Amino acid sequence: MSMRLVLITLAVLVCAAAVGGSPLPFDSSSQSQESGEFIESLERQCLLRTGSADTFEQLVVGFAFVPICIAGHLDFDGLNSDLGGLDETNRVQFFDTYCPQVNQSLQCINPVLGQLRKCFEGEELGVLDILINMLPEAVNLICKDHGEIFFRLEGPEYEKCMQNFEGYAVECSGKISNATEALDLSKFGEEHCRELSDFRTCIADKLEICKAPGIIDLFDLFYKPVVKSTSCVKYINLDERNAVETNEI
């Protein structure tokens, strides 16, 4: 998958999810069929990469254990109950209570992720690592300033900005040269990383027009994992971008 396509696709998906939308129509029967196809594809992928059915079998066991593990760290009943009444008056108590629990729950997926990585290699593994590291980044953003992003996104200026986001992402992807686009993530050098940084700067400039403070944090949900999955972590100082704090799995 080209770098340009990765950037545009992830950016649009993140922002669509943030405003409660979906880039695809929801259909339960279709979703069930797609899930079955994904499992079959994953089984073939694991067999191809490892030469044995053991990894996939361990994945199945691991996936079954994850909900049990999470339930040991996270008070689901309390979370669901308190979420319904969440507002400005109780947000500090809510996020102080549940964010530590959610962060503790992240450790439950580590064994599964370790097995899952065995089934991929090269560019596929790079994209997988980006998706994996988006999870803790999302948790950090949600918990940042006691859920400030939730309350900001309700404003009309944010909704208008998100409607234009796909166009911004496509336009700014022009900062990525054809040479960089054709290059595997694992082979990125300083020049390619500079283009990636320019892409982020372009997005930030576009979002500034919206007058929606902090909305760049949504973009950084995938930008930071992309940087961390490449050599760009040596050339781009993420701390200077006022992004969410690191929370590696």
Side-chain angles (χ1 to χ4, degrees):
M1 180 182 292
S2 72
M3 184 62 190
R4 185 174 298 167
L5 184 57
V6 169
L7 291 174
I8 295 176
T9 301
L10 292 181
V12 172
L13 288 177
V14 166
C15 291
V19 295
S22 174
L24 297 174
F26 176 80
D27 179 81
S28 58
S29 60
S30 175
Q31 188 179 52
S32 177
Q33 180 179 353
E34 290 176 359
S35 297
E37 293 174 352
F38 169 77
I39 292 174
E40 292 178 2
S41 176
L42 179 59
E43 183 176 13
R44 291 193 298 269
Q45 182 84 358
C46 292
L47 181 60
L48 176 65
R49 296 290 181 234
T50 66
S52 168
D54 292 345
T55 298
F56 180 75
E57 292 174 357
Q58 292 176 26
L59 267 174
V60 173
V61 173
F63 277 125
F65 176 74
V66 167
I68 300 174
C69 177
I70 292 178
H73 295 283
L74 181 61
D75 178 9
F76 281 108
D77 292 337
L79 175 63
N80 289 330
S81 176
D82 293 343
L83 187 60
L86 179 63
D87 57 30
E88 288 281 5
T89 65
N90 56 22
R91 57 186 280 196
V92 172
Q93 179 180 356
F94 177 89
F95 287 97
D96 280 349
T97 297
Y98 295 109
C99 283
Q101 293 183 20
V102 173
N103 274 302
Q104 284 292 318
S105 299
L106 290 180
Q107 64 182 292
C108 295
I109 64 175
N110 285 340
V112 171
L113 296 180
Q115 294 295 328
L116 189 60
R117 294 185 86 258
K118 296 179 182 179
C119 300
F120 297 88
E121 63 181 17
E123 187 76 353
E124 293 175 338
L125 183 57
V127 174
L128 176 64
D129 283 340
I130 292 172
L131 297 175
I132 288 173
N133 283 307
M134 283 177 65
L135 179 57
E137 294 294 344
V139 172
N140 283 327
L141 178 56
I142 290 171
C143 293
K144 182 183 179 182
D145 295 331
H146 300 101
E148 180 66 20
I149 191 65
F150 277 122
F151 297 90
R152 283 182 174 178
L153 287 175
E154 294 179 353
E157 66 275 17
Y158 288 89
E159 181 178 355
K160 182 179 180 180
C161 202
M162 289 298 93
Q163 290 175 351
N164 297 326
F165 191 87
E166 183 175 358
Y168 295 157
V170 172
E171 183 177 347
C172 289
S173 70
K175 300 293 182 179
I176 307 296
S177 67
N178 291 333
T180 299
E181 180 182 5
L183 199 64
D184 286 353
L185 293 172
S186 60
K187 298 179 180 179
F188 267 33
E190 184 174 4
E191 178 181 353
H192 314 106
C193 296
R194 184 168 58 249
E195 292 182 11
L196 180 60
S197 180
D198 289 344
F199 175 75
R200 198 268 188 188
T201 299
C202 178
I203 290 289
D205 290 343
K206 296 290 185 183
L207 295 179
E208 187 69 23
I209 301 174
C210 302
K211 304 300 181 184
I215 200 169
I216 190 65
D217 285 347
L218 292 175
F219 176 84
D220 284 337
L221 278 180
F222 83 89
Y223 175 79
K224 289 180 68 176
V226 168
V227 171
K228 293 175 182 178
S229 70
T230 66
S231 63
C232 295
V233 72
K234 297 186 296 184
Y235 307 111
I236 298 177
N237 188 345
L238 294 171
D239 292 334
E240 292 180 349
R241 301 190 177 277
N242 297 320
V244 290
E245 296 177 357
T246 302
N247 183 17
E248 297 282 2
I249 292 181

